[in-house]
Amino acid sequence: MPIYWAFLTFMLLKPGQENHEYWFMFSGIDKVLHLSIFAALGFLFIASFPKIKFGYYIQIILIYAFLTEILQEEMHLGRSIETLDIVADTLGCLIGYYTYKYIATKF
């Protein structure tokens, strides 16, 4: 969990690069990436702390999302704050949370 969190922080704060050479690159792919990495983060977080209350869970993940967005702007590395990134982060952490809860009740 700490290794993934550190890797995620590095990836969210490194300078952005636009590369449209690959077939899978499309407008909005960064939102899909935000959603998927926060779904994985949310899943791993709730799996690591299954007894945490939902309110604490969402606060911790969203504070992290807001901080990374603010740091992207303040570090002047070619990244900026985007509201849709925070929306994708929120949806991702909810998907991760409910995926874990679904799996935990089935198995």
Side-chain angles (χ1 to χ4, degrees), residues 27-96:
S27 177
I29 192 168
D30 62 324
K31 306 308 179 253
V32 173
L33 292 173
H34 271 266
L35 186 125
S36 60
I37 61 178
F38 271 83
L41 177 65
F43 183 88
L44 291 172
F45 188 79
I46 196 64
S48 298
F49 306 101
K51 297 199 185 290
I52 193 170
K53 292 182 181 179
F54 179 75
Y56 294 140
Y57 165 84
I58 199 78
Q59 286 176 12
I60 291 168
I61 300 290
L62 290 182
I63 287 170
Y64 176 71
F66 278 107
L67 284 176
T68 56
E69 288 297 317
I70 291 168
L71 287 173
Q72 285 176 0
E73 181 73 27
E74 294 301 317
M75 292 176 69
H76 304 291
L77 296 174
R79 311 276 309 253
S80 61
I81 294 176
E82 292 187 33
T83 305
L84 287 179
D85 284 350
I86 295 174
V87 171
D89 298 346
T90 303
L91 289 174
C93 76
L94 290 173
I95 289 169

Side-chain angles (χ1 to χ4, degrees), residues 11-24:
M11 293 304 291
L12 288 171
L13 296 179
K14 77 178 204 154
Q17 298 175 351
E18 291 291 325
N19 191 347
H20 297 285
E21 295 179 18
Y22 301 106
W23 63 269
F24 58 84

